[in-house]
Amino acid sequence: MDIAGDFSVLLGNYGIFYLQGIAATILLSIVGTFGGLALGIFLAFGKKLQPKGKRVSVQLWQWPIKVFCQAYSIILRGTPMMVQAILFKYGTQMLGVKWTEILQGVPVFNGWMVAGLIVITLNTTAYMGEIIQAGLNGVDKGQVEGARSLGMNDLQILFHVTLPQAIRNSIPTIGNEWIVNIKDSSVLNVISVAELYFMGNSAASKGYRYFASYLIIALIYLTLTLIATGILKMVEFKMDGKKSKFRFINVLFHYKTKEA
Amino acid sequence: MSLLEIKHVAKNFDDTVVLKDISLNVEKGECVTIIGSSGSGKSTLLRCINLLEQPTSGEIVFDGVNILNKGVDLNHVRSRLSMVFQSFNLFNNMDVLSNCVIGQVKVLKRNKKEAIEIAERNLEKVGLKDRMHFKIRDISGGQKQRVAIARALCMNPDIILFDEPTSALDPEMVNEVLKVMKELAANKTTMIVVTHEMDFAKDVSDRVIFMDQGVIVADGSPDYIFNQCENERLQSFLTRRHRSPVERIKEQPNLFHSVTLGD
Ligand SMILES: Nc1ncnc2c1ncn2[C@@H]1O[C@H](COP(=O)(O)OP(=O)(O)OP(=O)(O)O)[C@@H](O)[C@H]1O
Ligand SMILES: [Mg+2]
């Protein structure tokens, strides 16, 4: 077996496959993470509703939302994304949706990409809901009372006091979801989303160069997750206003930065 | 008509009775202190006035309106009755200035520029104008409490409610906060102060209220409360509080002994 030879053939003849795969994987992970965060905020609100003891007219709309959000969270976190993707594919096909006709011919976005984006976003939403809920619970009640004593209403308190702090405190966990998404978007190959694993597999099958091709995509995944980790550390670093210098090498070796 | 009239207010938490038939009037410009032992219901009374707690029964008439009535704009009432908390309760995601601006912009609908001017003026009043761009976590406890007072002042409240504003502070920071409060009192700010600082109650307030087990036991001038009133519960509270730590140790001969013996 000539691995070096396989490498040069794969990268030389099929380099564009990997590049497209990288673009698709980055797109899936970013849309999935930010879309999931946005929807996850609503999911967290839904789960935090407290209809008990309220007026009947309020209970009438709050109960269904709360139950829906809780069920959503349990079901989507309790089943594999691969299975969710397949169910989504066949379910929507039965309803007559033709995913491959949407954005036909647009690079990266064509084929099953739109379906993939929806699946990864809906899946991430469930996890983000948990993260934001924990973040909201973590903001001390005193600040809420402080805001209330000034006359701020619940929405104002949410948007100006609790939510910004919940998100800020959750950035490490939110970032972790991004890294998980970079890796786990690979399962979307089951519905033919042309992400990195799918493209690497396609390149490999052209000449039976499987080991070399999977090694290439493994290295690419590793590089992507390391870069993502670095970006996240940098963001945290900036937000904490730390005085010491940020060094990318620290990311690789998990050096702890000293508390200010 | 008084600015604030509390009439027969009671408050239960489930089965626990915390306030029983509290009646109390506060005049405009008055500085009222509330003293009493831990658990007597002082905080709960303040929180009822600010509507952070809903009284179980009674009336709270503020500026002629019973604020417990249905249809009263809760947030509007709260903005006129600012509260300063023992634990500061500042917004950690904002700097000092924004803490003072947000309520003005969101609740009073002042424009940003005006709100900033007012905030700067009030921060100057509490001696913190030079800290206005600091993050909350970068200032001391005494400074935090002064920011909290400035934040309350920015709302131009009719009454400021203080719930043990110096109890969470290191001793060396207590005076900087008391000084600000004294100035407010001197300027005839209407304030209700729950405190364990007996000197403040004695020297600064116009009126002292002693609470015990959810009722107002004594209500009068500082001179009346500290020198004349002979109520037994008040006397026992005052003597307990007035003894210095050294005196308390001296009362326990065994403890005192063991200290000297070890020498
Ligand atoms: N949310 C609540 N639920 C149940 N009980 C409560 C609640 N808040 C206060 N209490 C009870 O009410 C009583 C009075 O509490 P409060 O905080 O008003 O006392 P306080 O006079 O302010 O005491 P301290 O000097 O310790 O602050 C206490 O026995 C307390 O346990
Ligand atoms: Mg208290």
Side-chain angles (χ1 to χ4, degrees):
Chain A
M1 208 165 63
D2 173 16
I3 291 190
D6 284 355
F7 272 149
S8 67
V9 173
L10 285 169
L11 294 175
N13 298 355
Y14 304 106
I16 189 71
F17 278 50
Y18 297 103
L19 288 179
Q20 273 193 21
I22 291 170
T25 290
I26 292 176
L27 182 70
L28 284 163
S29 70
I30 290 179
V31 170
T33 305
F34 282 100
L37 177 59
L39 293 176
I41 290 170
F42 286 101
L43 191 70
F45 295 165
K47 287 171 64 178
K48 273 178 78 79
L49 285 177
Q50 293 188 328
K52 223 185 209 163
K54 294 208 175 124
R55 270 180 287 126
V56 177
S57 58
V58 175
Q59 288 203 25
L60 221 53
W61 64 267
Q62 285 197 350
W63 274 119
I65 292 180
K66 187 181 172 87
V67 169
F68 171 81
C69 290
Q70 272 171 343
Y72 183 97
S73 172
I74 291 169
I75 293 168
L76 272 95
R77 287 181 306 122
T79 52
M81 185 159 72
M82 184 149 87
V83 176
Q84 293 163 12
I86 293 195
L87 285 174
F88 182 82
K89 173 179 170 170
Y90 291 112
T92 50
Q93 262 180 350
M94 281 195 313
L95 295 174
V97 184
K98 299 204 164 56
W99 292 105
T100 49
E101 285 173 14
I102 301 171
L103 299 179
Q104 218 169 9
V106 182
V108 181
F109 282 95
N110 58 5
W112 285 90
M113 188 61 175
V114 176
L117 287 170
I118 292 173
V119 169
I120 197 168
T121 302
L122 293 180
N123 175 272
T124 310
T125 298
Y127 292 93
M128 290 295 186
E130 290 293 297
I131 292 169
I132 295 300
Q133 192 181 8
L136 286 172
N137 292 341
V139 177
D140 84 291
K141 302 281 172 289
Q143 292 185 51
V144 175
E145 292 210 328
R148 216 163 257 159
S149 77
L150 294 176
M152 288 168 74
N153 65 35
D154 288 349
L155 270 188
Q156 291 169 336
I157 295 172
L158 191 68
F159 282 111
H160 298 286
V161 180
T162 43
L163 191 56
Q165 294 186 64
I167 292 178
R168 166 67 194 87
N169 296 339
S170 309
I171 281 180
T173 13
I174 291 169
N176 201 44
E177 283 303 306
W178 180 32
I179 289 166
V180 167
N181 276 341
I182 290 174
K183 295 183 288 181
D184 285 5
S185 55
S186 60
V187 305
L188 295 173
N189 80 84
V190 296
I191 58 167
S192 316
V193 176
E195 41 67 52
L196 183 56
Y197 172 85
F198 184 88
M199 295 308 280
N201 192 46
S202 307
S205 62
K206 302 281 182 205
Y208 225 74
R209 296 180 188 89
Y210 285 104
F211 183 72
S213 189
Y214 288 140
L215 202 57
I216 290 172
I217 61 172
L219 287 173
I220 296 175
Y221 276 120
L222 183 62
T223 312
L224 289 178
T225 52
L226 283 177
I227 292 173
T229 310
I231 292 172
L232 291 169
K233 289 282 173 219
M234 203 140 68
V235 169
E236 273 182 63
F237 216 74
K238 281 267 155 62
M239 295 223 290
D240 290 351
K242 296 237 172 80
K243 302 284 187 296
S244 54
K245 252 213 195 123
F246 177 80
R247 284 180 213 281
F248 194 78
I249 191 80
N250 294 358
V251 174
L252 292 179
F253 296 103
H254 296 286
Y255 284 148
K256 280 262 158 59
T257 48
K258 264 196 197 136
E259 278 300 310
Chain B
M1 188 184 67
S2 308
L3 180 58
L4 181 72
E5 297 173 5
I6 299 170
K7 298 179 186 169
H8 310 293
V9 161
K11 174 69 184 171
N12 307 349
F13 289 107
D14 300 323
D15 293 341
T16 358
V17 181
V18 175
L19 297 177
K20 295 172 243 182
D21 195 25
I22 299 274
S23 292
L24 162 69
N25 289 358
V26 176
E27 307 299 329
K28 196 166 184 303
E30 219 179 1
C31 173
V32 178
T33 51
I34 303 179
I35 60 174
S37 49
S38 185
S40 55
K42 308 179 297 293
S43 296
T44 307
L45 176 58
L46 275 201
R47 295 166 61 80
C48 283
I49 298 173
N50 190 264
L51 298 180
L52 285 174
E53 304 286 358
Q54 192 69 23
T56 312
S57 63
E59 281 182 27
I60 298 180
V61 181
F62 168 56
D63 205 9
V65 177
N66 180 6
I67 58 177
L68 304 181
N69 280 346
K70 273 201 186 122
V72 169
D73 182 352
L74 199 85
N75 291 324
H76 176 71
V77 170
R78 283 178 179 155
S79 74
R80 295 181 62 186
L81 296 162
S82 290
M83 184 132 169
V84 173
F85 301 85
Q86 180 175 346
S87 50
F88 324 127
N89 295 357
L90 296 171
F91 310 130
N92 291 332
N93 56 325
M94 303 175 200
D95 65 6
V96 166
L97 184 66
S98 305
N99 263 277
C100 298
V101 167
I102 183 100
Q104 300 184 59
V105 172
K106 296 296 161 192
V107 181
L108 304 181
K109 309 290 178 202
R110 287 186 183 141
N111 75 46
K112 192 107 186 244
K113 192 164 159 281
E114 187 192 0
I116 290 175
E117 275 167 22
I118 292 172
E120 286 180 355
R121 216 178 307 139
N122 284 308
L123 283 169
E124 178 137 50
K125 223 182 257 180
V126 301
L128 285 173
K129 196 168 175 223
D130 57 330
R131 296 293 149 101
M132 65 186 187
H133 295 302
F134 276 53
K135 292 205 175 113
I136 296 306
R137 65 149 189 248
D138 292 334
I139 60 177
S140 72
Q143 290 171 336
K144 281 181 190 165
Q145 198 58 295
R146 287 187 282 149
V147 173
I149 294 173
R151 177 175 76 175
L153 287 172
C154 283
M155 305 302 284
N156 294 102
D158 295 283
I159 304 179
I160 307 186
L161 311 166
F162 293 83
D163 191 3
E164 299 196 34
T166 57
S167 296
L169 297 178
D170 291 337
E172 69 270 19
M173 294 174 181
V174 169
N175 281 329
E176 66 185 62
V177 172
L178 289 180
K179 184 168 158 272
V180 169
M181 292 170 61
K182 278 177 199 163
E183 278 162 20
L184 292 177
N187 290 329
K188 291 285 160 215
T189 310
T190 314
M191 46 210 267
I192 305 177
V193 185
V194 170
T195 187
H196 289 302
E197 295 289 334
M198 290 305 140
D199 289 338
F200 182 90
K202 231 182 270 179
D203 304 337
V204 182
S205 58
D206 302 307
R207 208 166 117 213
V208 181
I209 284 162
F210 170 62
M211 280 181 70
D212 193 36
Q213 295 176 12
V215 296
I216 292 178
V217 175
D219 175 347
S221 67
D223 181 50
Y224 170 75
I225 295 290
F226 289 104
N227 304 322
Q228 298 168 28
C229 178
E230 284 172 357
N231 181 285
E232 226 171 90
R233 288 199 261 174
L234 174 63
Q235 286 309 320
S236 105
F237 170 76
L238 288 177
T239 43
R240 249 185 297 137
R241 287 210 60 85
H242 271 183
R243 268 175 314 208
S244 68
V246 176
E247 282 171 305
R248 273 183 242 171
I249 289 175
K250 275 187 189 158
E251 272 171 21
Q252 301 176 313
N254 294 339
L255 179 66
F256 194 58
H257 236 88
S258 64
V259 174
T260 36
L261 278 181
D263 209 344

